[in-house]
Amino acid sequence: MAVYLLKWSFLLMTITMMVHTFVVFRGTIWLDRNEIIDTFPKLRCEKLREKFLSTEESKTPLNMKSFTDDLRVLMRCPHKTNITQRERYRVELRACCNATGSLFLTRENTFKGQRIKYETNRKISKLVDNTVFNMLPPTTPWKNGSRFSRCAVVGNSGILRNSSCGAEINSADIVFRLNLAPINNTRDVGEKTNLITANPSQIRIGYPDLEKRPKPLLDRVSAYSDAPLLLPAFAYTFCTDISFKVHKVLRMNRPHQKVVFFNPEYLLQLFQYWQRRGLQEIRLTSGLMLASVAIELCDEVQLYGFWPFETDLYGRPVTHHYYDDIGPSRRMHAMPKEFVQLLRMHSQGSIRLNLDRCQ
Ligand SMILES: *[C@@H]1O[C@H](CO)[C@@H](O)[C@H](O)[C@H]1NC(C)=O
Ligand SMILES: *[C@@H]1O[C@H](CO)[C@@H](O)[C@H](O)[C@H]1NC(C)=O
Ligand SMILES: *[C@@H]1O[C@H](CO)[C@@H](O)[C@H](O)[C@H]1NC(C)=O
Ligand SMILES: *[C@@H]1O[C@H](CO)[C@@H](O)[C@H](O)[C@H]1NC(C)=O
Ligand SMILES: *[C@@H]1O[C@H](CO)[C@@H](O)[C@H](O)[C@H]1NC(C)=O
């Protein structure tokens, strides 16, 4: 019996060894190891890009589990830039909106006696008198058409927590930040800032009685050293007074840090541009606004902290912002729709979304 068993196990061992030898042999001679490792993910990356390219905004929210499973893989795929496609966006945005010349109101693109029409109500306008004219900067900072090679737009989502993306963000030529996002964790969010937006309702709620008690706001904006503060002063009528107050307070206390106003014509054209591309929402987020500016001005656009969902790529809960958990206005914005649009652009190779930890 024992001999019988021994014979069988010997035979089994021989067969195993032969199969093993064959596999190793095949592996070394006919199939290059790198090819085995690379070919299949490459195919998978291509498939995923195609899949995300054909996703429609109306299909959100998607099945979160399979969506994030795919995104996790996509984030590890080597990023492919499609220069043709990228330049197409730049040319289109320049033609429709012209951030270079028109992103904010300046003494070059605005004249005394002009009436500035409000972005959301074209029947109402504000006269540019001496006071208003004197608030405007002489020109836009990137007027001479110089292109930047890499720009980062830092969204405020909680996925930035523990991301370690700070160094990568700081290494960009230009960094845009949104809605007075605090910079209290430089390891994750960096600190470099070249432009920061503020939302008038955020000022109204967060800094009441601004003229008598300017210090809290001054402290907050000092985090961006001398980066200009950009406000939509002519989006809605309520925005104007608040924006002018912010301008006054900074001019008196931090004259080296300018306050500039979005050109309502720029925002209106941009809104219509995205609407023509199928994006249906009441108002663009400032994230998409600044991403559009970056596409026009920069060769490579990297987005960080853009994530409108409640769980991250690994199914863990994620806060609305990296610094608090106060949600956005669901009535005004359609963030998941915007996200699908940005994801499509990432898959095309026009921009780069960063949703996972940075290396
Ligand atoms: C790049 O984009 C253009 C325009 O959408 C497309 O025709 C072309 O096939 C793309 N190239 C690659 C390599 O994907
Ligand atoms: C953008 O605006 C600037 C300044 O007003 C102007 O010189 C330039 O020709 C404009 N570009 C386009 C494409 O309209
Ligand atoms: C204009 O371009 C020059 C380089 O040609 C650059 O050094 C300068 O910073 C640019 N100015 C502005 C305001 O962007
Ligand atoms: C970040 O990492 C720390 C320790 O590495 C952990 O305690 C904390 O829960 C993490 N926070 C998030 C939001 O993942
Ligand atoms: C960052 O600041 C916000 C308030 O401004 C605070 O709630 C949050 O805990 C801070 N985060 C860190 C990591 O210090």
Side-chain angles (χ1 to χ4, degrees):
M1 183 69 187
V3 173
Y4 184 74
L5 258 182
L6 204 73
K7 250 169 105 179
W8 269 108
S9 50
F10 181 74
L11 194 67
L12 213 72
M13 240 171 72
T14 314
I15 293 172
T16 313
M17 272 167 68
M18 275 169 72
V19 168
H20 186 73
T21 311
F22 179 72
V23 168
V24 170
F25 188 64
R26 247 184 80 90
T28 43
I29 304 296
W30 286 294
L31 274 176
D32 180 11
R33 254 183 74 78
N34 288 332
E35 220 173 303
I36 302 179
I37 293 166
D38 278 341
T39 312
F40 300 103
K42 243 183 222 160
L43 265 177
R44 189 148 181 223
C45 289
E46 275 315 311
K47 283 235 161 65
L48 282 177
R49 289 193 188 104
E50 275 168 34
K51 183 171 171 181
F52 285 126
L53 255 170
S54 57
T55 310
E56 287 170 30
E57 281 101 349
S58 55
K59 294 277 161 61
T60 55
L62 308 115
N63 173 346
M64 249 347 241
K65 173 77 172 71
S66 71
F67 182 58
T68 51
D69 282 351
D70 286 347
L71 273 180
R72 267 200 322 270
V73 177
L74 184 72
M75 285 298 118
R76 288 184 192 140
C77 291
H79 190 69
K80 276 169 67 177
T81 302
N82 183 331
I83 295 177
T84 317
Q85 186 58 52
R86 193 177 79 181
E87 290 306 308
R88 186 175 292 176
Y89 276 108
R90 192 199 316 285
V91 167
E92 283 178 5
L93 282 166
R94 204 164 267 173
C96 82
C97 311
N98 196 3
T100 320
S102 322
L103 174 61
F104 40 80
L105 297 171
T106 66
R107 290 181 205 175
E108 258 177 3
N109 60 28
T110 314
F111 55 89
K112 276 184 211 173
Q114 180 182 338
R115 298 203 75 95
I116 299 169
K117 285 186 188 167
Y118 279 84
E119 180 195 340
T120 56
N121 187 341
R122 309 298 287 165
K123 295 201 188 92
I124 303 177
S125 62
K126 172 91 182 164
L127 176 72
V128 181
D129 56 15
N130 274 329
T131 315
V132 175
F133 192 77
N134 288 333
M135 293 167 102
L136 307 181
T139 176
T140 47
W142 41 72
K143 195 204 130 214
N144 60 9
S146 51
R147 283 242 301 263
F148 303 103
S149 81
R150 190 161 64 87
C151 300
V153 185
V154 185
N156 295 343
S157 159
I159 51 160
L160 274 177
R161 282 194 188 184
N162 281 0
S163 70
S164 302
C165 287
E168 207 179 291
I169 291 169
N170 283 341
S171 72
D173 299 305
I174 294 281
V175 180
F176 293 148
R177 293 181 195 270
L178 311 165
N179 294 345
L180 297 181
I183 303 180
N184 55 5
N185 188 341
T186 56
R187 186 176 60 93
D188 293 336
V189 306
E191 55 196 335
K192 182 171 180 170
T193 309
N194 296 89
L195 187 68
I196 173 83
T197 68
N199 185 334
S201 28
Q202 162 184 38
I203 304 276
R204 183 170 62 179
I205 296 161
Y207 305 93
D209 215 9
L210 182 60
E211 282 176 286
K212 286 208 190 96
R213 290 185 56 246
K215 194 169 180 305
L217 182 67
L218 294 170
D219 287 348
R220 182 129 178 201
V221 301
S222 68
Y224 319 110
S225 59
D226 54 2
L229 194 59
L230 178 56
L231 289 137
F234 302 97
Y236 297 91
T237 47
F238 88 88
C239 300
T240 311
D241 262 7
I242 299 168
S243 305
F244 284 10
K245 271 183 198 157
V246 173
H247 188 284
K248 189 173 163 191
V249 161
L250 261 80
R251 182 184 263 184
M252 278 165 56
N253 299 286
R254 293 181 60 80
H256 51 284
Q257 189 169 23
K258 303 297 176 202
V259 173
V260 292
F261 306 132
F262 268 114
N263 184 343
E265 298 305 318
Y266 173 81
L267 292 183
L268 186 64
Q269 296 302 328
L270 190 66
F271 177 75
Q272 289 170 354
Y273 172 81
W274 287 114
Q275 208 172 34
R276 284 196 298 276
R277 298 193 70 93
L279 190 58
Q280 297 297 327
E281 64 181 329
I282 296 177
R283 193 165 171 75
L284 304 179
T285 62
S286 42
L288 184 56
M289 291 172 189
L290 271 292
S292 308
V293 174
I295 292 168
E296 219 185 285
L297 298 177
C298 320
D299 286 337
E300 201 185 310
V301 175
Q302 298 255 6
L303 307 185
Y304 301 86
F306 279 65
W307 182 255
F309 305 107
E310 283 165 9
T311 49
D312 70 5
L313 293 187
Y314 304 90
R316 297 174 302 207
V318 48
T319 51
H320 282 290
H321 296 141
Y322 64 80
Y323 46 88
D324 67 29
D325 199 14
I326 298 164
S329 164
R330 298 229 180 273
R331 191 177 61 82
M332 300 288 281
H333 302 307
M335 286 188 165
K337 287 186 188 172
E338 283 191 0
F339 182 81
V340 169
Q341 176 69 46
L342 294 171
L343 186 54
R344 215 186 280 156
M345 293 166 78
H346 171 100
S347 307
Q348 274 169 346
S350 312
I351 59 167
R352 186 159 183 180
L353 270 171
N354 297 282
L355 305 174
D356 213 336
R357 291 172 59 100
C358 292
Q359 300 312 316

